[in-house]
C-alpha cells in the first residue's frame, strides 16, 4: 500500500482514511504539506481548511477550528474539537461560515459567562471578608 493513513478525530467523530498521498494544511508558520515517508512531526493547525489527496487522485477537504496534527510511523493523527469532511470545496468551505463560526461564537459566550461568574464570586468573597466593594 502506498501513502499513509489519516486519522481524523474529535469528541464526537472519527474517520480512518488509508492511502493518503499528500496532506496540506496551515499552522503558525504558514502552509505546509506532508507526504508518505515524512519524518515524525507535530504542529498546531490554524482555523480553516486542510486538504488531502488519496491514491485515486481525488482531493478531499476538512474544515476545522484549529487542531493538533501528529505524524508518526506512516500515520497522521489530526485531533480537533470538531471537523467537517467532504469532497466539494465550496460545501466544506461554507461550513466554516455556518457551523464552525456558530460553535465558536457559543464558546466565546460561555467563556464570557464564566468570567462574569468568577468576578462575582471574588466580589462576594471580598465582602464576606469584611471589605466593601
Amino acid at each position: 500500500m502506498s501513502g499513509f493513513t489519516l486519522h481524523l478525530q474529535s469528541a464526537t467523530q472519527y474517520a480512518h482514511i488509508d492511502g493518503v498521498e499528500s496532506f496540506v494544511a496551515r499552522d503558525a508558520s504558514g502552509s505546509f504539506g506532508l507526504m508518505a515517508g515524512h519524518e515524525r512531526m507535530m504542529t498546531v493547525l490554524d482555523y480553516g481548511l486542510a486538504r488531502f489527496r488519496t491514491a485515486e487522485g481525488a482531493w478531499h477537504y476538512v474544515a476545522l477550528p484549529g487542531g493538533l496534527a501528529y505524524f508518526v510511523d506512516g500515520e497522521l493523527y489530526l485531533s480537533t474539537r470538531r471537523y467537517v469532511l467532504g469532497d466539494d470545496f465550496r460545501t466544506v468551505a461554507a461550513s466554516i461560515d455556518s457551523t464552525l463560526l456558530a460553535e465558536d461564537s457559543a464558546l466565546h459566550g460561555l467563556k464570557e459567562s464564566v468570567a462574569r461568574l468568577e468576578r462575582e464570586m471574588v466580589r462576594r468573597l471580598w465582602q464576606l471578608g469584611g471589605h466593601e466593594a
Side-chain angles (χ1 to χ4, degrees):
M1 173 178 84
S2 67
F4 58 90
T5 300
L6 172 61
H7 301 272
L8 289 169
Q9 47 200 14
S10 75
T12 60
Q13 300 167 276
Y14 175 77
H16 174 105
I17 300 141
D18 289 320
V20 175
E21 295 290 325
S22 64
F23 176 83
V24 179
R26 185 170 183 79
D27 65 7
S29 67
S31 292
F32 69 93
L34 295 172
M35 297 179 74
H38 197 282
E39 293 293 318
R40 177 187 300 206
M41 68 153 298
M42 182 181 292
T43 190
V44 176
L45 299 176
D46 283 345
Y47 186 103
L49 282 176
R51 64 186 172 136
F52 61 93
R53 187 176 64 222
T54 56
E56 295 82 32
W59 283 101
H60 309 278
Y61 301 91
V62 181
L64 53 124
L68 181 69
Y70 179 50
F71 189 84
V72 61
D73 298 329
E75 307 219 355
L76 175 59
Y77 297 88
L78 197 150
S79 300
T80 183
R81 262 190 354 254
R82 179 173 165 81
Y83 67 86
V84 177
L85 175 64
D87 297 334
D88 180 36
F89 170 80
R90 288 177 197 89
T91 303
V92 175
S95 73
I96 291 175
D97 292 334
S98 60
T99 307
L100 298 179
L101 284 178
E103 183 179 284
D104 280 354
S105 177
L107 183 61
H108 180 71
L110 179 62
K111 287 180 180 179
E112 286 180 355
S113 294
V114 169
R116 278 194 305 273
L117 285 171
E118 288 175 344
R119 285 192 299 270
E120 183 62 21
M121 286 175 47
V122 168
R123 187 182 71 76
R124 296 238 174 129
L125 287 172
W126 184 261
Q127 288 175 341
L128 287 173
H131 307 284
E132 291 297 319

